Structures are given as C-alpha cells and as structure tokens.
Amino acid sequence: PPLALASLASQQNQPSYRRLIIKQRFMTTAAATTNDDTGDIHINSGSDDDNVDHVILHRSQCHCRQVLLEIILPPRPQPPESAPIPSDEEEGDQDDALLLSVWNCHCAICRKYHTAAYTSYLRVPRDQVAIRRGADKLDKLMSSCQSISTEDVRDGNSAMVVERWYCTECSSKVMSIPSTKTDSNTKDDGEDEEDKSECWVNLGPLDETTVPNTHAQRWKDQLKQIENNLGASGACCWTNALPNYKEESSASEASEPTKKKWSGGCTCGACRYEIAIARAYQLQHCYCHLCRELSGGPFMTWIPVYRSDFEWKRPIIISTATAKATSATPAASCNDDPTAIHHEGSALRLVRTTPFGSRHICTRCRSILTIVYDDQPNLLWPCAGSIDDDSLPPTSDEMGRYLKRVAHICCRSLPTWLDLPMDGMERLDDAC
C-alpha cells in the first residue's frame, strides 16, 4: 500500500508519541525503517526536498482495508543538543498535549445509523485528519445528531447537520463531520457557507497498535464520565437489561388476542421488518473487530430469532425459485427461502462478511440489520440497534422480562480503550 507503516514497538516498550516521526509525501510509495534504539518510525517517501514531517497519532482502517485514515500533528521543534533530557513527568506532560478527547453519543439518530447501543467518537481538529488511502471509496450520508443542540453552533443562528462517512465497499463507519450551515438570511456576503472545524473519528475501526497504554487508560476514564456520554438519558432499554424471564408471565402474555411485535429497520427507512414476540430471547453484545469496524462503535448487539417470527415489511422479498419462474414480484417473507434475493432496485442486500455468515445491509444508508449464519438455516440474528425504540419496553427492567440470557461475547477482542462494567452479565472470550 502507498503508506504502509512499520509495526510499532511492543506494548512493554512503546516509544513516546512525540518521537513517532514520519517523513512522507501524500499518496507516494513509502519505505519504512525503524530505529532499534529509540523505537522511532521513519518513512522515506521521496526526495528530501519534497518531504514534510508529521507526528502520526493514530490510524483507522475500514474492514476491507481500502480506506486508511491518519490522525496527524505537526512535530514539535527538536530541542538543541545541549538541552537537558526531560524527566518522565515532563515528557508525560508533553505527551498529554497529543491526547485527544473521546465521547459517547447515545442519541436515537446516532444509534440508528450505527445500529448499536451507542457510538464512540474521537474528537479531532479537521485539519489533523488525513485520508491516506481510499478517498474514492468514501461516501457520506447527510444526517444530524440530537445530542448537539443548535445553541452549540453560531449562537443558534444556523442549523447543524452531520456528514456521516462510510466505506462504499464494506459499509464500515469511519467518521462523522459536524457541519454548521449558515442561514442565508443572516450570512454576510464574505462569509463562508460552511464551517467544518472538527471531525468525529469513529473509535470502532481505530488501529489499537497506534493507541499507547497511557492514551487508552485516559480514554477509559473519559468514557466513564457523565459529561462525555451525551444523550445518555435517552439510552435504549436493552443496553443494560438483565434477563428476568418468567414462564408464568410469558404464558399470560401469549394468551392475549394480539401478539406483541417489535419493529425495526435502517436509518433511511428503505428497509423495515417486524419480529413477532412469541418466546424468550437472548442478547449477545459482540466486541469482535468486524462488528466494531462495520458499526464504528465499541460493540454490536444481536438477538437470535426464528425465521418464522421474523418478516421483512419493506422492501418486498422474492425467493430464488420465484424469481426464475416469473418476472412478477409477489410479497413473501425471508423465512420462505434462506437463499432469498431481492427485486431489482431494492436497497436490501445480503452480503457475505465472513466465511461462515452474511449480513443484511441497506445499500442506501449502510445500516447493518441482521446476521445470517450458514449453519443456522432456521435462525436470523437482527441487530438490536436497528429496532425502533417506541416498539420496545420503556425500561430496562421491563425489557428483562423478555430475556432469558444476556452475554458479552468476543471479549478477547475488547478494545483497549473500553472498560466493561461489572454488570453481572455473562462474559465469553469468543463467540458462542
């Protein structure tokens, strides 16, 4: 690749990031070398006359590795050789200047787009984010964020929108850019139409080898603070729900004339489904790299359901056999045929994401909606983040009455910047 980096030093002997210097030219072939004594990484990408020095703080890649972002800073001036060697405390203070802030957003719009309990962002000045590879593979969805009020931008005189950027090849969510567009009635003639001063880089796809231990620990502390959890009062009911299913309560609910249904879908509304609540369910919070890269957040949550309890409401689904027999598009549910395909022009696609499974993805807004495993023809795994809030119970306690099991899975892949709370849930190193 044009800017492949040498491996960082081991976690036990990481170089200070103020010394992680890279000599590079944008979009040029690079040859990397490492100084064994200092751990510094240097990349020579051309003649010395054309090179520009930068400090690389962090890197982020999409799942298919076609998009590469780098978070960079200009290097500090090197002290003269006669200057005293800084103490560990002084060096730590200098490294703190490179530490960017992180925060979680729990608002309904961010949750729906990322199909997750919440999403985690690294707040970065926009001019410090460089797209080093795959700029032609990026596209954006225009959206908003309920956690950022209009009073936060230009004294309430403009409407805030958010550009949500994703990889068009694998649907990984890589960053969002808050944009304040000035009202045409108040804009001065010489004033720019847009002001994009910062970028919210999704933490999920972040390359953890570029996150030193000191940064990871500081981020853990920041993400626990109330002020860094925007919209937490509106968090979804299943995030902290614990299993509290009782047979007797289930029997009484099943006797009601109309069964309860949960509805869900993608963020743009092109894909919709319903789940008939006919039995107890389980939640699995997954921290694998694939879930983090596709969602952009720290984890995704899955609910295995029988196909007979699940039905696509939009778009219309046709089976492979029906498609070959007629050009018509009859209504059918995905449980009619595990190999169901979608009519021409449909936004819904079943995309192979692993050797053993596929995911339903909306190709218009890139919401991840389900997992379909090859060895489970009778099951479908909807993503809990895609379920509509207003179709779910209002509280975590009430949600627990529908759950027989809740587990954190793939904890072996837990990101270094995230702490799991002591919530009493089952924890597994791998998937189950």
Side-chain angles (χ1 to χ4, degrees), residues 95-362:
D95 285 343
D96 282 346
L98 304 182
L99 183 62
L100 300 164
S101 63
V102 295
W103 58 288
N104 295 325
C105 185
H106 300 258
C107 85
I109 295 177
C110 283
R111 286 194 279 112
K112 198 73 167 184
Y113 171 70
H114 295 280
T115 54
Y118 57 88
T119 194
S120 301
Y121 294 116
L122 179 65
R123 192 189 300 268
V124 185
R126 189 172 180 237
D127 59 1
Q128 293 175 205
V129 178
I131 302 172
R132 293 305 191 192
R133 182 173 66 236
D136 60 328
K137 301 297 183 183
L138 286 173
D139 202 354
K140 63 183 178 182
L141 175 75
M142 301 307 295
S143 179
S144 60
C145 177
Q146 292 174 323
S147 296
I148 306 297
S149 65
T150 55
E151 285 75 14
D152 292 329
V153 290
R154 300 201 182 185
D155 299 323
N157 292 326
S158 61
M160 198 273 299
V161 296
V162 177
E163 299 173 1
R164 301 189 185 273
W165 290 85
Y166 56 84
C167 173
T168 57
E169 294 294 318
C170 66
S171 300
S172 293
K173 316 303 185 294
V174 295
M175 62 180 172
S176 293
I177 300 177
S179 170
T180 56
K181 293 189 176 182
T182 307
D183 190 313
S184 59
N185 294 327
T186 61
K187 184 172 72 71
D188 295 334
D189 292 338
E191 189 177 0
D192 292 337
E193 182 181 355
E194 297 188 42
D195 174 26
K196 304 174 184 177
S197 58
E198 66 180 25
C199 178
W200 304 339
V201 176
N202 286 102
L203 282 179
L206 202 66
D207 182 351
E208 293 178 54
T209 64
T210 64
V211 181
N213 291 336
T214 52
H215 287 208
Q217 185 56 53
R218 192 71 65 86
W219 291 355
K220 285 182 181 180
D221 295 338
Q222 287 184 359
L223 293 176
K224 293 176 186 176
Q225 297 169 7
I226 296 177
E227 61 269 25
N228 292 325
N229 281 271
L230 278 65
S233 60
C236 53
C237 66
W238 49 264
T239 306
N240 300 311
L242 293 174
N244 190 28
Y245 175 75
K246 293 181 175 62
E247 292 289 345
E248 57 271 19
S249 64
S250 174
S252 63
E253 289 177 4
S255 63
E256 295 179 0
T258 304
K259 288 184 178 180
K260 181 176 177 57
K261 292 185 178 181
W262 292 343
S263 61
C266 64
T267 192
C268 72
C271 306
R272 299 286 302 165
Y273 64 80
E274 282 186 352
I275 304 171
I277 308 305
R279 62 198 86 241
Y281 295 98
Q282 61 172 298
L283 293 177
Q284 294 189 13
H285 305 296
C286 182
Y287 299 85
C288 77
H289 289 283
L290 176 58
C291 284
R292 289 195 277 123
E293 289 162 352
L294 292 184
S295 71
F299 63 94
M300 296 185 79
T301 302
W302 305 98
I303 306 176
V305 303
Y306 285 101
R307 286 180 177 269
S308 57
D309 297 337
F310 185 97
E311 182 180 11
W312 289 108
K313 307 302 288 186
R314 188 189 309 147
I316 298 172
I317 309 295
I318 58 174
S319 68
T320 305
T322 305
K324 292 178 179 178
T326 176
S327 59
T329 309
S333 119
C334 69
N335 52 285
D336 291 342
D337 183 359
T339 61
I341 62 173
H342 311 99
H343 64 82
E344 185 177 356
S346 166
L348 188 65
R349 289 290 183 272
L350 185 61
V351 179
R352 173 67 63 175
T353 50
T354 66
F356 46 84
S358 305
R359 304 192 184 206
H360 280 107
I361 299 175
C362 176

Side-chain angles (χ1 to χ4, degrees), residues 18-51:
R18 71 186 179 89
R19 295 197 301 266
L20 189 57
I21 306 299
I22 177 173
K23 279 191 170 185
Q24 61 186 21
R25 187 181 181 187
F26 183 66
M27 294 304 291
T28 56
T29 302
T33 60
T34 303
N35 186 314
D36 293 333
D37 295 328
T38 64
D40 291 356
I41 296 174
H42 299 274
I43 292 184
N44 191 344
S45 58
S47 65
D48 290 339
D49 294 338
D50 292 331
N51 288 344

